[in-house]
Amino acid sequence: MASFKLLVGLGNPGTEYDNTRHNAGAQYIKALAQQSQCLLRYEKKFSGEFGKVSIGGKECFLLIPTTYMNLSGSAVQALCQFYKVLPQEILVIHDELDLPPGTAKLKVGGGHGGHNGLKDIISKLGNNRDFGRLRIGIGHPGHASKVAGYVLTKAPSTEFLKIEHAIDESLRYTDDIVAGNLNNVMNTLHSFKA
């Protein structure tokens, strides 16, 4: 398994979207940057907040696209072209409707499952789906018609705390994830439930 060079946290820009369910991926990157004492700065050429960090002795790029969710791919594409990052060296951290709050799962490849951020990244990478995904569970509102409003609102405090716990738990495995030791991580992270 290849190691990861670029960690992308998905979300929507603007204070009105802070701590909404759809911003779980961005929340992870902000927490990782803080933990690594890395200052994320807006980088125009990457259309996002960007930073460089050393994880397990390996230089990694952190990115939170500041485009809206459904245009996340253009930020990822720009950074990949500039730094010659391959799709299999990318880990995208995003909210996942199909997992309950308080859980997180790791996988490589697959479809977009209706997630507009993933859909745009797959498209901008030339339909390549070989990147890694860290999926932060946010739960499902119960009906497809309610999804848009659900992901763009803040979770009630009990749910929000569970999402935060799942992010914190995932952060504990960042060194192993970046190094490509995914099986070890999956064995423990996948059984975690806040």
Side-chain angles (χ1 to χ4, degrees):
M1 173 71 222
S3 56
F4 296 113
K5 204 184 274 186
L6 167 61
L7 279 63
V8 183
L10 299 187
N12 280 307
T15 50
E16 70 270 33
Y17 295 111
D18 281 352
N19 300 323
T20 57
R21 293 178 176 98
H22 224 12
N23 277 35
Q27 222 178 304
Y28 173 96
I29 292 294
K30 285 178 183 171
L32 177 59
Q34 193 174 9
Q35 186 178 293
S36 311
Q37 297 176 325
C38 164
L39 187 62
L40 294 173
R41 295 175 193 268
Y42 177 72
E43 186 62 64
K44 189 177 179 184
K45 66 176 174 263
F46 303 142
S47 305
E49 291 181 53
F50 169 76
K52 287 184 191 177
V53 67
S54 176
I55 298 173
K58 177 184 167 61
E59 185 183 63
C60 291
F61 308 115
L62 304 183
L63 179 67
I64 300 174
T66 51
T67 57
Y68 281 91
M69 181 66 85
N70 58 355
L71 301 172
S72 301
S74 53
V76 174
Q77 182 185 39
L79 191 147
C80 288
Q81 285 174 345
F82 188 84
Y83 284 113
K84 309 285 184 271
V85 176
L86 301 170
Q88 58 268 30
E89 297 175 313
I90 303 168
L91 177 71
V92 177
I93 301 98
H94 64 90
D95 58 301
E96 178 58 70
L97 287 162
D98 294 333
L99 295 175
T103 60
K105 295 205 188 287
L106 199 54
K107 74 174 194 173
V108 175
H112 54 71
H115 193 291
N116 290 329
L118 290 179
K119 195 184 294 185
D120 195 55
I121 290 169
I122 290 167
S123 160
K124 295 291 195 308
L125 292 177
N127 235 6
N128 192 314
R129 300 158 187 259
D130 295 339
F131 54 91
R133 300 105 190 274
L134 176 59
R135 303 149 63 217
I136 309 289
I138 60 164
H140 198 287
H143 194 275
S145 64
K146 295 180 180 170
V147 166
Y150 178 80
V151 297
L152 295 176
T153 54
K154 292 177 170 67
S157 58
T158 50
E159 267 179 50
F160 182 73
L161 280 173
K162 286 181 177 182
I163 294 167
E164 276 200 321
H165 284 317
I167 290 170
D168 290 344
E169 184 67 12
S170 303
L171 284 167
R172 292 180 48 215
Y173 299 101
T174 303
D175 285 20
D176 272 337
I177 292 170
V178 164
N181 302 327
L182 302 192
N183 287 340
N184 297 350
V185 176
M186 288 176 183
N187 287 339
T188 46
L189 182 61
H190 290 193
S191 59
F192 174 81
K193 187 155 177 35

